């Protein structure tokens, strides 16, 4: 409050104001979280420290606040949150000017409490907006006249105003896990409540609280995505709404070499945004179910450093350092994040190590220009994975063992009749020959006796059994290590470098332009091997021996991939007839390359060993007849490398897109509409290949029917461009008239309700969705099965007919609701109920033979990783006073219905229904004047383990964090 009779010199000594960005920038003083480490003390001093740390204009009368003791504040908070925590249970209160965005601190009473008797006087009238503006203006004048009141700028040494550009997400209203803005679905920062799409944001605060270090573990805390955490090197590891979910980093597709993707350390991830449904406007050449986008951290124009040290079960260890500062004279902010992470696993051969280095810098010379750049480098040593398709081969149908060791009279009679045998002994010998006796070689050979059993059972009973089935595996049959046994040991070592450069230019108040270049390059050294059951069972129930087959050995980064994108966006804002209009024009050039290589394998270098019956084994036999229950160690793959690396395959593609979108706000911002279209083209060199282009679009609207609730509807179309021809192969002739098949089409419809009830006390969305992939390119079963060229004597005359015919549909409801009744408590409930997900048509399947497993898996089973339901409940409580002050604790209950991990037709595996509990507790104190944070995490406190996903079960971790 500024009395009119106060002179300018008195004002100069009484008023202190700090601005770290500008008055315009801080129209949203809560825009972004900052790190605060403020001690308890006199408000006259602590508010100065707050202003420096917050980078936010703050106005107050020193005489009115001196003598009031403010609370200590520590943690990542918005300036408004930090200020309010400082003033809890004091005589001071905070307000925010609606015009300037500046923070104002004043006494709740016209005079301070009398220190002697704590008498209180009447309340004064509230300061008007004009008086706030006058107070700030007077502070500037006082600074110039006396120099006693200061205004500094952390972002600009001059008097230029720095404006928050439209490509950034505003953090206004964010509180804890609750996030209210997004960039993923729009390319510009948009409030979630005004976006007619279902978008879920997983915050860095949640990732930190629950000790999330790996990119796949993020999705534990959403019900929308199902992940095979232990899987590597195959499609469909991440699925959402019935289909594989693509992943992006800062808007560019994560690079992939034969489905093997790089490791992302979560220390440099600020948030993960899951955009569900109609995302064709910005992610056109993909499936219509949605995408996940990892958003990295950037400099915040503050001086803050933190160090975190963690240790836990399975030799979990992590050291992370986050440093950032400001070069005021140059208007530059920089940040350096580095981390080392190591972790073993319950299953053998699953230890990993990762080193992260991530520098970034932002330059803001004036209010119209921002230039930023960043790197994200990881050096990784990762395991091949404890759960994979080959591992699941250990889940051999138990009926095969029963029929092998104790054949029924029906099986013996079947053998007698089929092979003209006369005695049961002869029939048993034939059973052993066909179902397991003797040694098979290679994956196909090992499956040979399973295939014999399958075909014989079908011929005998009319039912085709699955070769691999069930939800449990008797690992003790395959190794004395039991369920620690990893049947695919190997590693995936290498490095990944993400480079990013961005220029934002705002030449006019209503015109903004952004050029964004980002490139991700990864290279890997790969060794992986199958260890598969071989030769049937011993009398004690153990497998006779194992086949060790090396499927890949690659050195010197021969398996490599890069993703590259250049994006140009132009945004123009215009208000007309009470309608706010935003026009966005853009162009995008994307490139992807994948390269595979291998090394020569020389089995003559195999270390000699002995078989289960003590027969000497050399060469390939040392791998073919290895006895896992014997004394010989597992064969070493590195001894077999005998030649230089060679490139075995390479693929390069390039896309060029153009798009336009419109956003409108009308009826006092109650109605928000979105519409846009994108043209996608595949380029061949510098020339567009004829016909390889299509259009995608998105439309939607959201309207506030009653305060706090907004129904929305959206629809869209995606495309998956293809270069597949109607007929291919060595036997194709001109008369076949090969034609390029149509692109696959994907459509999405979503209807739901969004909430910002009571100033976002309840926020989020609940929606119904229907997603369809149509025109999926499939092999033409009928043509190929009757094509004469495929059955003649010339193998070089074969052809394959293909067609657009596959159709898959998913329908369900999902939701993500955040409840934040106070700064003490917060909760997130997310749920998914996918009541219909199925293959509608598939021309590769013979519909006249419904007993075939391909038919059964396609039409009688749910697609892989599509559980009927998933649900998570995440809570956190902060104690702000009393004996437990500075203590926080939280929990996450994550539950999932059973599901199949693979679409393989020979397998009928089921991951059982699971409910898992995660817990954490954090306590904040001080050590030598530095804020210290102690966190205990219990991951999977319910110790839930199943044989298919091979998780670690219960894990405990302790983390100590220092802020300096």
């Amino acid at each position: 409050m500024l009395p009119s009779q106060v002179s300018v010199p008195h004002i100069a000594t009484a008023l202190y104001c700090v601005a770290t960005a500008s008055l315009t920038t801080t129209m949203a003083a809560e825009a972004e979280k900052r790190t605060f480490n403020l001690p308890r003390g006199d408000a006259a001093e602590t508010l100065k420290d707050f202003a420096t740390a917050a980078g936010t204009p703050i106005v107050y009368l020193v005489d009115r606040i001196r003598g009031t003791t403010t609370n200590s504040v520590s943690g990542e908070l918005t300036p408004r949150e930090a200020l309010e925590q400082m003033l809890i249970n004091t005589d001071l209160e905070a307000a925010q000017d609606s015009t300037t965005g500046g923070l104002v601190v004043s006494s709740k009473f016209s005079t301070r409490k009398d220190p002697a008797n704590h008498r209180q006087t009447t309340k004064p009238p509230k300061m008007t907006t004009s008086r706030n503006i006058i107070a700030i203006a007077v502070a500037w004048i006082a600074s110039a006249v006396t120099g006693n009141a200061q205004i500094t700028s952390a972002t600009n040494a001059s008097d230029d105003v720095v404006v928050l550009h439209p490509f950034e997400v505003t953090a206004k209203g964010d509180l804890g896990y609750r996030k209210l803005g997004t960039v993923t679905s729009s390319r510009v920062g948009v409030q979630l409540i005004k976006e007619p799409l279902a978008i879920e944001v997983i915050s860095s605060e949640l990732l930190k609280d629950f000790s999330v270090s790996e990119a796949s573990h993020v999705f534990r805390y959403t019900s929308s995505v199902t992940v095979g955490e232990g899987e590597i090197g195959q499609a469909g590891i991440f699925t959402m709404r019935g289909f594989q979910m693509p992943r992006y980093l800062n808007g560019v597709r994560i690079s992939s070499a034969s489905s093997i993707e790089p490791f992302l350390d979560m220390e440099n991830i600020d948030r993960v945004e899951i955009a569900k449904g109609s995302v064709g406007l910005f992610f056109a050449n993909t499936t219509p179910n949605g995408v996940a986008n990892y958003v990295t951290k950037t400099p915040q124009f503050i001086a803050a450093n933190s160090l975190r040290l963690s240790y836990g079960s399975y030799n979990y260890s992590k050291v992370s350092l986050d440093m950032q500062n400001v070069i005021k004279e140059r208007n530059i902010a920089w940040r350096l994040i580095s981390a080392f992470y190591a972790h073993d696993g319950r299953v053998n051969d699953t230890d990993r190590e990762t080193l992260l280095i991530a520098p970034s810098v932002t330059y803001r010379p004036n209010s119209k220009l921002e230039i930023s750049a960043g790197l994200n480098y990881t050096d990784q040593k990762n395991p091949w994975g404890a759960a994979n398709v080959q591992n699941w081969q250990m889940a051999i149908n138990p009926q095969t063992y029963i029929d092998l060791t104790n054949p029924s009279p029906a099986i013996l009679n079947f053998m007698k009749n089929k092979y003209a045998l006369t005695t049961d002994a002869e029939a048993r010998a034939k059973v052993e020959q066909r179902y397991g006796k003797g040694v098979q070689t290679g994956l196909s050979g090992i499956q040979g006796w399973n295939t014999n059993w399958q075909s014989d059972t079908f011929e005998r009973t009319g039912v085709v059994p699955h070769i691999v089935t069930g939800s449990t595996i008797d690992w003790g049959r395959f190794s004395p290590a039991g369920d620690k046994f990893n049947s695919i040991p190997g590693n995936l070592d290498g490095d990944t470098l993400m480079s990013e450069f961005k220029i934002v230019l705002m030449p006019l108040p209503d015109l903004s332009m952004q050029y964004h270049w980002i490139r991700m390059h990864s290279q890997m050294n790969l060794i992986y091997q199958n260890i598969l059951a071989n030769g049937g069972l011993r009398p004690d129930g153990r497998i006779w021996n194992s086949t060790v087959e090396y499927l890949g050995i690659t050195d010197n980064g021969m398996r490599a991939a890069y993703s590259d994108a250049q994006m140009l966006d132009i945004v123009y804002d215009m208000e007309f007839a009470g309608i706010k209009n935003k026009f966005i024009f853009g162009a995008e050039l994307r490139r992807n390359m994948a390269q595979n290589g291998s090394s020569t394998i020389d089995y003559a270098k195999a270390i000699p060993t002995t078989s289960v019956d003590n027969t000497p084994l050399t060469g390939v036999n040392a791998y073919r007849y290895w006895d896992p229950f014997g004394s010989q160690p597992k064969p070493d793959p590195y001894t077999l490398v005998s030649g230089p690396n060679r490139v075995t395959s390479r693929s390069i593609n390039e896309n060029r897109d153009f798009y336009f979108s419109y956003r409108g706000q009308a009826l006092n911002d109650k109605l928000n509409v979105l519409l846009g279209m994108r043209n996608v083209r595949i380029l061949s060199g510098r020339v567009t290949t004829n016909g390889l282009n299509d259009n995608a679009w998105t439309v939607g609207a959201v309207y506030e029917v009653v305060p706090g609730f907004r129904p929305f509807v959206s629809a869209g179309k995606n495309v998956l461009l293809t270069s597949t021809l109607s007929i291919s192969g060595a036997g194709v002739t001109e008369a076949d008239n090969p034609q390029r098949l149509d692109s696959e089409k994907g459509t999405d419809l979503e209807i739901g309700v969004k909430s910002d009830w009571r100033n976002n006390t309840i926020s989020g969305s609940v929606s119904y969705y229907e997603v369809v992939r149509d025109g999926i390119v499939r092999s033409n079963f009928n043509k190929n099965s009757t094509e004469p060229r495929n059955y003649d004597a010339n193998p070089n005359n074969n052809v394959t007919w293909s067609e657009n015919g596959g159709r898959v549909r998913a329908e369900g409801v999902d939701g993500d609701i955040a409840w934040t009744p106070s700064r003490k408590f917060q909760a997130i409930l997310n749920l998914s109920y996918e009541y219909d997900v199925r293959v509608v048509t598939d021309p590769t399947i013979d519909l006249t033979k419904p007993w075939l497993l391909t038919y059964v898996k396609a039409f009688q089973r749910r697609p892989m990783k599509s559980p009927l339901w998933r649900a998570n409940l995440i809570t956190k409580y902060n104690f702000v006073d009393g004996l437990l002050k500075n203590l926080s604790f939280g929990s996450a209950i994550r539950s999932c219905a059973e599901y199949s991990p693979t679409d393989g037709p020979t397998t009928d595996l089921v991951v059982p229904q699971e409910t898992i509990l995660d817990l954490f507790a954090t306590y904040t104190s001080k050590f030598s004047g530095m804020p210290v944070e102690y966190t205990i995490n219990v991951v999977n406190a319910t110790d839930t383990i199943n044989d298919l996903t091979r998780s670690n079960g219960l894990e405990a971790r302790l983390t100590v964090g220092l802020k300096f």
Side-chain angles (χ1 to χ4, degrees), residues 335-405:
R335 189 169 191 172
L336 175 62
I337 299 174
S338 56
F340 175 79
Y341 165 58
H343 195 197
D344 292 345
R346 179 181 61 84
V347 179
N348 294 339
D349 306 304
T350 54
D351 57 303
R352 67 174 73 245
E353 289 183 359
T354 303
L355 174 67
L356 165 72
I357 301 176
S360 57
V361 62
T362 300
Y363 173 50
R364 292 176 180 170
N366 53 55
S367 63
K368 298 179 180 180
L369 178 64
E370 177 180 293
I371 303 173
S372 59
L375 299 174
N376 190 102
Y377 173 79
T378 58
D379 182 85
Q380 62 195 43
K381 175 188 179 298
N382 288 337
W384 174 248
N388 211 312
V389 174
Q390 286 82 9
N391 268 22
W392 297 333
Q393 299 294 334
M394 299 297 185
I396 297 171
N397 192 323
Q399 190 63 42
T400 62
Y401 296 126
I402 296 174
D403 292 348
L404 170 63
T405 58

Side-chain angles (χ1 to χ4, degrees), residues 328 347 403 430 488 511 610 683 709 738 765 775 797 816 900 918:
K328 297 181 180 179
V347 179
D403 292 348
K430 179 58 72 173
I488 305 189
L511 179 65
T610 58
L683 303 182
F709 297 96
S765 65
N797 203 28
D816 174 57
S900 172
D918 298 332

Side-chain angles (χ1 to χ4, degrees), residues 501-521:
F501 177 75
K502 187 184 300 183
I503 299 178
V504 177
L505 180 64
M506 294 171 283
L508 298 173
D510 298 323
L511 179 65
S512 303
M513 295 179 287
Q514 175 178 266
Y515 169 77
H516 185 194
W517 172 83
I518 180 172
R519 186 178 193 273
M520 174 181 286
H521 180 267

Side-chain angles (χ1 to χ4, degrees), residues 23 164 184 199 245 317 329 424 504 574 595 751 932 949:
L23 300 183
L164 183 70
T184 294
I199 301 171
M245 181 195 69
S317 59
E329 297 78 9
D424 286 353
V504 177
M574 179 186 69
Q595 173 182 287
I751 303 172
V932 183
T949 60

